[in-house]
Amino acid sequence: WSLEEAAAPYKGVTIRSIGEALPPLEAMSKLAPEFEELTGIKVEIEMYEHSEAVNKVMLDLNSKRGRYDFIIQPHRELGKFVTNGNVQPVDSFLESAELRNPEFKPEEQLYQGLWKEISWYEQKVYGFPFTALSMYMWYRSDLLADEKEKEGFKAKYGYDLAPAANWDQYRDIAEWFTRPDQGLYGTALQGKRHEALWYEWLNFLYSFGGDMLEAKSGSECGPVIVNSPQAIAATEYYKSLKPFSPPDTLNYFWDDVMALMQQGTVAQLIMWNDATYAVAVDESVSTVVGKMGFDTVPEGEGGKIAQAEGWSYLIPTESKNKEAAYLFIQWMMNYDQQLRQHLNGGATSRPDVYASAEVQELPYAKASMASNEVAKPKPTLPQSAEMTDILVRELSSFLADEKSAKEALDRSAQEISALLGSCAPMKYPVE
Amino acid sequence: MNRTAQISNGRFLLDRGASLPLILPATILVLVFLVGPFGYMTYTAMTDLSYANPDQNGAFIGLENFRRLVRNDPIFWNSFWLTIRFVLLAVSIEFVLGFAIAWLIWRFIERQRLLTTLLLVPMMLAPVAVGLIWRLLLQGDFGMVTHYLHKSGLLSQSSAVFSTPTLVMPTIIAIDVWQWTPFVTLIILAGLMSLPKPPFEAATMDGAGPWRQFRDILLPLLRPIIALVLLLRGIDAFKEFDKVFILTGGGPGTVSELLSIYAYRVSFKNWNLGYGAAVAFMVYLVVLIMCSIFYKAVYWKSADTGAR
Amino acid sequence: MNRSWKILAIGVLACVLVIALTPYVWILLSSFKGRLDILSSQPTWFFTPTLANYPAVFIDKNYLPLVLNSLIISTASTVLSICVGAPAAYVFARTDFAGKEDLFFFFLTTRMAPPISIAVPLFMFFTLLGLTDTIYAVVIAHTTFNLSLVVWMMRGFFAEIPREIDEAAMMDGRSRLGAFIRVIVPMAAPGLAATAVLCFIMSWNEFLYAFILVAFEGRPLTVGIPGLITPHGTLWGQVAAVAVVATLPILLFTFLVQKHLVRGLTFGAVKG
Amino acid sequence: MAVSFVGVTKRFADGTIALDGLDLEFELGEFVVLLGPSGSGKTTACRLLAGLETPTEGRIEVDGKDITTLPPRFRGIGMVFQNYALYSHKSVYENIAYPLRIRKTAAAELDRRVKEVAELLQIGSYLHRRPGQLSGGQAQRVAVARALVWEPTICLMDEPLSNLDALLRLHMRTELNRLHQRLNKTFVFVTHDQEEAMTLASRIAVLKDGKLVQFDDPRTIYRRPANRFVAEFMGRPAMNTMDGMVRDGTFRAGQVSCKVQCPEGPVTLGIRPEQIGFGQSGDGDHFTMTLDVKETVEPDALLIFANDKGTVTVRTQRDCDELRPGQPVNLHFPLDALHYFDATTGERLR
Amino acid sequence: MAVSFVGVTKRFADGTIALDGLDLEFELGEFVVLLGPSGSGKTTACRLLAGLETPTEGRIEVDGKDITTLPPRFRGIGMVFQNYALYSHKSVYENIAYPLRIRKTAAAELDRRVKEVAELLQIGSYLHRRPGQLSGGQAQRVAVARALVWEPTICLMDEPLSNLDALLRLHMRTELNRLHQRLNKTFVFVTHDQEEAMTLASRIAVLKDGKLVQFDDPRTIYRRPANRFVAEFMGRPAMNTMDGMVRDGTFRAGQVSCKVQCPEGPVTLGIRPEQIGFGQSGDGDHFTMTLDVKETVEPDALLIFANDKGTVTVRTQRDCDELRPGQPVNLHFPLDALHYFDATTGERLR
Ligand SMILES: Nc1ncnc2c1ncn2[C@@H]1O[C@H](COP(=O)(O)OP(=O)(O)OP(=O)(O)O)[C@@H](O)[C@H]1O
Ligand SMILES: Nc1ncnc2c1ncn2[C@@H]1O[C@H](COP(=O)(O)OP(=O)(O)OP(=O)(O)O)[C@@H](O)[C@H]1O
Ligand SMILES: [Mg+2]
Ligand SMILES: [Mg+2]
């Protein structure tokens, strides 16, 4: 098998793709000409902002125009695509002798948990992870290692200052470093009414042993447990960090906390793995290069756990060049391409890429790998976007002191249950 | 207005044959490209179409969506009243300020070409950019405006505009005023400049002071223009979206969830197209009713007597 | 007395100008700042300027064609909406037929539906016509939603011109259309200028239709701007650079067209 | 070769009837003057002929061809508007040149003709100005120039000289007359000035309330007015009319008594102020009235005599300096100067 | 109690000098008529007095108080605009009532006065209409009504009657005169109609090129014009003027020869057309000219005699039906009807 041979029938075709304008996609568009040279298949990549990319795809798929030959979409959208029959399972390609590169073995080469979470739906495989994202803890290693701080901290809290291993420590550290007069805050919550809030909150929820639905995989429906006692505890804990976050915290999403971190105003927070590069490595935008440490999210009653998210390569059913698209995706999943993409700010799903020497040099490699191991799925049902919307709204209300945590989560549970219908009764009924 | 204009009122310059080809392209364009889709939207509002829910594939359900909207959707009503307040406040402030600025320019500035152009700058920025700019300016930690607000003591050091629920809407209104006052200024200025001189001279001779001239001559002559500005601004304010979406996303909580944001969430986030269409239709209906009342009250009177 | 009023007026206008421009000036400054300067907690008015943002967005991200796209779309739709809308406005200003006011009001109602809900049906419709992903689709869409503006504004300005002027032109040998184009339109220049400015700005700044209807290659600047808001941080410097560049053509256009607006002053009404 | 209004009625949107079944026919090449009180429909008639308005009823024909619905530009008609309607954004020169430009006249020819007509109307020195910078009379002449410059077959002029001073008016009158003769085009002219009407018109059409009252040459209009309205309307000051009774060949109304030649019974007697004689000498047919007001309108004097039945106005060129109000004066109505009208319908008798 | 223009010059932005050092003074309570050729600055003078325009040089005083920069509304002056300037958005009633409304006149009083003045101007039946629905003459009367209704101290009327027919004009003239007497306010009246000027004016100011040429009562203006310009300007048709030589008490110019009483040398002789006699009988002082054109302007006839040195116009009420162009006629210039002007400056001699 060789790529040239496999691609011969598709020489000269142009395949078109769409994704979010992010470094890994930019990296991909730089790699594409190599592929064209090898195969004669031209790849055009459209780069849009996150929601633009999602909406464009929704419109294209639902109008059945077939403009895109493969798409790169966040995995939470998958349910919609699959149930509407918009995307193509890739097992036929994996079984095809002409197309399948025998050296490409996803069932061995990828983080299985992540792959299943990101690209599978109801036991069927629809693609491969474009990025495998997870969140972990960022902290200022220089502050935590500072002798004077250590002394003071020990005197006050009675134990040694170190990266937080559990949530109590996390809060203590946050409190300790909150010094508005010095322009320093213990943490930064992403409290804006925005998906970021939900993503961040999920880390607390999972870690406290809660979940939204009682289900084993993202594509499964199950009883609503979003208002479980664990969830309420997680939510209340989450808000208890608000005093240690800067005053504008209700207006933050990932953008702002990134900026705060880069400016060195925050001691620790929970943040995305693929954003790390811009804080820890890129000196043109960050003042804290070399002063950062990374670790998994602190442990709670639910154990050490991370919420996983990812963008996935998918092939629309209306695509006219599915095979060529598959060949390109397969090529992109190769070690070399993955490595280059990862070094340019991507987040690969291949452990062997993480293991490479270049990647290991990055200060956050270990934390990333650790998080990827414990990534937990979340609903990818067709209605999951609306579930998110409901939760974001209610959580935002709670943060703005309009409601108590219980009220907010009860209301969310009710709405989600109504949304999902009979498959999702409320496990903790509201009177 | 000079008499030339007066005597001709009621005389029809164009008969139907000549009018038709002039008015037809516009009408067709609107009918095909707006009324068509609008009709489709109206139909969608009576279906359960949703791209997100595999069970809802566009079955006709009559007025069910509307029933749910009116009876059973507190968020809609919250957004509704919020939007009404927003429109009334923003548009009236914009109108008063814009009118005053236009009047000052008209009255006192001879060489106003550059000045007017510069005044229009806020309007020239895309709403998306306006949202981003103000987000940067009002950011709690490194926003330039926030910094000076803190420094001047107008805002307590430990708070930020968009994290203080009570400040969110006033700020959004202020930004809207900043952005759209130039629009009012531009149109009113154009109106002022094409005002005829004779009636003002006549009023001067009749003994009317500046204020009476303003009230009795200028305002009535400008009435169609004023109505135009208020209508256009009112309608556009009703649809205000980009800025608020970028600035607050409707939050904190639902403090700034305008109708358009709500509609966006329903249609574009949740892909609940049927219900979203119903929301949109309600928005349309409300705007339509408000405009009709306003139009009948203000515009028709002057348009019909055709004094202009 | 008069003088002091004038000075007061100029003072007030100066304040207004400062308020109107400060954010823009800040953006202008920011477009020459590095990320660290932009995000520094003390507003920096003086800093070492960097030119990096402009090439970063216009060359590296290849946003330059977007400016051109914006220009093409806005110009085409402005021209088209004036060409289609002004004659209709003229009819409204000059004729009376049953249901005229209703039809007139109808034009305004087309503006009332939230674009968010019209957008999807419109997209489907254009797909049917095979027009999606072409520039025609947006131009048509922008023209349609600007029509109400043109029709409404221009009716007022046309009505202000005495009918005798049309009639005189017709007696001089113009057809109705000729009278309209050759005599009335030039006389309505101030209004036309203001209308064109508004149409242009509206179209230039429009986001949703442009986003939905145009292909990636044809997308205008507005559609490009959100691309600078990434989960890895908003690229403020590049946003600022785009905002600055995006305003320049409109600024220029407005300034040029303003000439006609100003002309309104010197001409005065028809002597009669 | 005739222009005719056939039963033309014009009703405006608000119900005002501006023309009411107008029947009027004149030859091409004539100089027709429309005369009538304010609001009698003169302007409306012109606008209908020009095609700027369509009649509610009736039709308009030129040369037997129905042109009721023909667009104005195909009618070859020029028009001077009562309120000028100059193009405010064009210079005087361009205003005048405009009809020629439309007709694609060669540049040199155009320039020549514009300058020629401007000279004729004495506005040659304002050609570069804008209409806003002209005085009333100057603007009016520009409007006339614009209508004349392209020598239309029919030229409608709606009070084109009303803002000119007497001298200029006289001059313009002569020029118009000359032009009319030279071009041999049809002129339709609206005026309030009877002298203008008299000197210019080949025929005068008198309108009243949208109806044609009389259409005749000036002399007939003046000397044999068709009814009391025309009689009173024409002439400055107006003709004296008195309602009275004729018995035994003598007319009596209050102090007035004079010999007449008309049937017995109630009659309205008319006599022009300038034809009343002073009967101071011992002629049989005179009577005495008391002078009420004396007005001097150089070179004439107007003597107004009050009477229980109305007033009698006398116009004379005699030196009346010695006459004082309150003084009795002998008056004499020459038999051949008398007009008789039906007392009820106002129609002329005989 | 006087209104005075002191050396008032008005130069417009484009350099046109509309008024050129105008000095004019009249008493409050006078009825002043401004007369002059088109473009002589009449409208400009009114606008300056009204305060709508500020003089480039000079000042305007009322009662010795300099009002040059006083805003119009404090001047107590009303004005009828040459182009009416009605409020198109108000009904006729409201147009007229507006000055009263500003002065917060009580409703009943206001209504009474509006109706009264409307009746006076015969527009009572249009009160509910919009200005756009009026004919030219009707609109003009509304403009007059609006200026009169609040009885300003000075009322400026810029050709207020130009669009009215003769009958109405006569009527309005009488009413204005009566009003002026009753109210005892100052009227400043611009007109082109000499008859109007003659009957209305207490004094006439004749303007030419922005300068005052003569300011006198009508009779003097007519009978003793200050110079050749006034002489020719006043009178319809214009005064005959001939440049010639006086020698031995006899004036000669071409065929014309007549006895005069003036110094020897070059002289311009003037005589009004109506004062020329027919000297068919054997009187010594007559000469023969050939009839060129005969015009009938009922009730008069105009006889124009051509001459190698110009034309002589004769106006007569005599029946001239038998006269034919080309016929020689004996003319006679009565001695007391002659005017003499300096041949170069045009100033009146004696
Ligand atoms: N647009 C209109 N709507 C209603 N009535 C009108 C309109 N235009 C004119 N009229 C009326 O029609 C009648 C005739 O008007 P027209 O202008 O023909 O009069 P006119 O003879 O020209 O008078 P004038 O000498 O005053 O100009 C008048 O009574 C006038 O009020
Ligand atoms: N705005 C202006 N700019 C320049 N010149 C002007 C302006 N207004 C008037 N004039 C000129 O000033 C002179 C006097 O004008 P004015 O209007 O006073 O004349 P008038 O005596 O009223 O004439 P008419 O009898 O024709 O109305 C004219 O030559 C006119 O062309
Ligand atoms: Mg008329
Ligand atoms: Mg004038």
Side-chain angles (χ1 to χ4, degrees), chain D residues 135-136, chain E residues 43 82 158-159:
Chain D
S135 80
Chain E
T43 301
Q82 194 165 4
D158 197 353
E159 310 194 18

Side-chain angles (χ1 to χ4, degrees), chain B residues 7 9 11, chain D residues 12 14 16 18 37-44 82 159 192, chain E residues 129 132-138 163:
Chain B
I7 193 139
N9 146 64
R11 295 178 175 159
Chain D
F12 282 111
D14 69 339
T16 313
S38 176
S40 59
K42 305 180 292 297
T43 301
T44 309
Q82 195 166 3
E159 309 193 19
H192 287 309
Chain E
R129 289 213 199 160
Q133 301 171 310
L134 299 177
S135 81
Q138 289 157 352
N163 272 318

Side-chain angles (χ1 to χ4, degrees), chain B residues 115-148:
Chain B
L115 174 69
T116 327
T117 310
L118 288 180
L119 275 182
L120 291 182
V121 163
M123 197 173 81
M124 294 174 188
L125 293 161
V128 189
V130 170
L132 284 173
I133 287 172
W134 281 97
R135 194 172 143 64
L136 183 61
L137 289 172
L138 287 171
Q139 219 282 348
D141 309 285
F142 42 81
M144 186 266 274
V145 171
T146 309
H147 178 80
Y148 289 108

Side-chain angles (χ1 to χ4, degrees), chain C residues 120-136:
Chain C
V120 177
L122 199 63
F123 174 80
M124 298 296 174
F125 183 63
F126 275 120
T127 309
L128 271 183
L129 296 181
L131 281 177
T132 30
D133 294 341
T134 66
I135 224 154
Y136 304 112

